[in-house]
Amino acid sequence: MPRNEPTEVTDGWDGERSPRRRKAVRYGVPVAVAGVAAATIGLVPAFAGGSPDLPKISAQDLIAKVAKSDVQQLSGTVRVTTDLGLPSLPGAGGGAGGFGGAPGGGEKGGDSASAAPQNKLMELASGAHTLRVAVDGPDKQRVSIVDKAAEYSLVHHGNELWAYDSGSNTAVRSTAPDSRSGKEHRAPEGLPKDLKGATPQDLAKQALEAAGDTTSVTVDGTAKVAGRDAYQLLIKPKQTGSTVGSIRVAVDAETGTPLKFTLTPKSGGAAAVDVGFTNVDFAKPAASTFDFTPPKGAKVVDGDKERATAQREHGKDAPSRKELAKDMGGPNIIGKGWTSIATIKGEGSGLPSGKDKGEGAGGDAAKFLDSIGEKATGSFGSGRFFSTRLVNALVTDNGTVYVGAVDKQSLINAANAAK
């Protein structure tokens, strides 16, 4: 059978295809890139086994195959490896708020904070992790993060959601969305609905929705992933200034399910984000997979009660996160496509100045910021530039922030233009 040669999809490629197909190309790439950077390389063993011979397919038809894929049941193991080049921050790993969004995670330093899902999901932003996943429709999902000495599980079954941390032997129960009842219960803040966000399918969907006239999409050969035949979809930005080199998505030839997602920076080297199945089974998982009973001796926390208590303690008039974001003005998007830049207008003095090198908190903060950032100047004035392998940021001396998956000069140009 013929091997797949690269076939490019360029401007206007969707032509007169159906609205369902056009849906996959109408959003902005930076949304996908930002999501990937906050949440998730090297799965060489998963690609072992050579390149299978598969019928030739165009990029349009492969994207349509992904869009039409409606796999509702699967189980398997996912390897997540992230290398964003983030600096080690003082106090990293501390609580980011308790389960259900309760400030402080209930008792300060308590076990309920260690079981907070947003804290655990943030750990995927660095290093290598193994996940066991199982899905049976929209009401039953299970994701377990497997570490050397402990396991952390999120179990969604109907309107019930459990988060269990074996390290602290703590189980947190909260109310979750239940699509069967037709009612939307409030899900814990910081947790993606239906436990999504860390699988190849979710990341590939975001990237494909972003493909548009700023993007080149080709079919670049075939591969074996998790023992299954797959096509390789190659997504590249056409715009200069983007820090993204390419996104490669391995698509299951039979089901159209994305099996592996790899994002490589323009700077080269190891992938910044690599998420892929090492094994996968599309059979219906056993019903018992989604049952959860706290182990004997486990501390059981009522997540809904903790949230309600926190709300009472902070008063009914305390602003919500959405209200706070609105008051702060929210981000404004400059540009489009891969080189979009989010900017938040500042009204203060910005970060601690490099001039403040004396003793005390201000001086220590300035020294630390100097160690991870560099000075940047332009017609906008001056500021500090912070970089990772993928997402960069410029903070001006008046506190305005420019951030995106773009290079330093693009951020400076945006600041100059907004002067």
Side-chain angles (χ1 to χ4, degrees):
M1 294 184 181
R3 296 289 299 280
N4 285 280
E5 298 298 328
T7 55
E8 184 171 1
V9 176
T10 55
D11 299 13
W13 64 269
D14 55 326
E16 297 181 359
R17 295 187 179 273
S18 69
R20 187 173 184 177
R21 294 185 185 183
R22 290 197 299 271
K23 180 181 178 182
V25 296
R26 68 188 185 192
Y27 299 99
V29 167
V31 175
V33 173
V36 170
T40 1
I41 47 203
L43 279 179
V44 175
F47 271 105
S51 302
D53 288 328
L54 295 172
K56 188 174 182 178
I57 189 171
S58 68
Q60 292 106 319
D61 288 342
L62 185 54
I63 291 175
K65 188 178 184 72
V66 174
K68 290 187 293 186
S69 178
D70 190 29
V71 173
Q72 294 288 318
Q73 300 167 333
L74 66 79
S75 59
T77 303
V78 176
R79 186 69 171 168
V80 178
T81 311
T82 311
D83 182 10
L84 299 177
L86 294 169
S88 297
L89 300 177
F99 190 85
E107 296 178 14
K108 187 175 182 180
D111 290 337
S112 59
S114 70
Q118 59 268 42
N119 293 349
K120 289 296 179 181
L121 292 175
M122 281 300 295
E123 293 179 6
L124 300 181
S126 178
H129 304 270
T130 298
L131 279 62
R132 289 201 297 265
V133 301
V135 178
D136 185 6
D139 299 318
K140 297 179 182 179
Q141 299 97 30
R142 184 179 188 121
V143 177
S144 297
I145 303 174
V146 184
D147 292 324
K148 292 181 180 179
E151 180 175 319
Y152 180 84
S153 294
L154 292 169
V155 184
H156 174 204
H157 193 163
N159 69 343
E160 188 173 70
L161 178 68
W162 284 96
Y164 176 68
D165 181 9
S166 68
S168 62
N169 198 23
T170 302
V172 182
R173 182 192 181 281
S174 189
T175 304
D178 183 358
S179 61
R180 293 173 301 176
S181 68
K183 298 178 180 179
E184 283 293 318
H185 301 279
R186 179 179 177 184
E189 294 182 28
L191 178 66
K193 184 179 179 181
D194 295 338
L195 310 186
K196 292 183 178 181
T199 66
Q201 298 101 303
D202 303 320
L203 297 175
K205 180 181 179 181
Q206 294 178 66
L208 292 178
E209 286 177 342
D213 59 6
T214 62
T215 307
S216 165
V217 184
T218 62
V219 178
D220 189 24
T222 63
K224 275 281 189 182
V225 181
R228 298 184 64 88
D229 293 348
Y231 294 102
Q232 296 199 73
L233 195 63
L234 186 62
I235 304 169
K236 289 185 174 183
K238 292 179 179 179
Q239 297 167 297
T240 60
S242 173
T243 56
V244 177
S246 68
I247 293 175
R248 187 177 295 271
V249 181
V251 179
D252 186 73
E254 179 183 351
T255 67
T257 303
L259 299 174
K260 182 176 169 66
F261 174 98
T262 304
L263 190 156
T264 303
K266 183 188 290 186
S267 59
V273 178
D274 191 90
V275 181
F277 284 98
T278 56
N279 65 74
V280 63
D281 186 348
F282 293 103
K284 180 183 177 71
S288 60
T289 303
F290 309 102
D291 294 335
F292 180 81
T293 301
K296 184 177 181 180
K299 177 181 178 181
V300 179
V301 178
D302 186 330
D304 293 334
K305 185 177 180 180
E306 280 204 343
R307 180 166 54 249
T309 300
Q311 290 173 341
R312 287 196 301 271
E313 290 178 349
H314 289 79
K316 295 182 179 180
D317 297 328
S320 67
R321 294 182 183 181
K322 289 184 179 180
E323 290 172 336
L324 286 173
K326 183 177 180 180
D327 290 342
M328 293 175 66
N332 178 45
I333 305 301
I334 300 174
K336 69 172 186 175
W338 300 82
T339 54
S340 295
I341 297 172
T343 176
I344 301 176
K345 185 69 174 177
E347 297 179 355
S349 58
L351 297 171
S353 170
K355 298 177 182 179
D356 185 4
K357 294 294 181 65
E359 298 297 327
D364 291 342
K367 292 175 183 177
F368 172 72
L369 291 171
D370 283 346
S371 71
I372 63 173
E374 60 182 83
K375 292 291 290 183
T377 59
S379 59
F380 67 89
S382 61
R384 193 175 276 110
F385 174 72
F386 301 92
S387 65
T388 72
R389 299 181 65 220
L390 189 63
V391 178
N392 297 323
L394 171 66
V395 183
T396 66
D397 285 346
N398 71 353
T400 299
V401 179
Y402 300 86
V403 61
V406 297
D407 58 27
K408 179 179 179 180
Q409 191 57 50
S410 296
L411 294 175
I412 291 177
N413 292 343
N416 288 339
K419 178 175 67 71

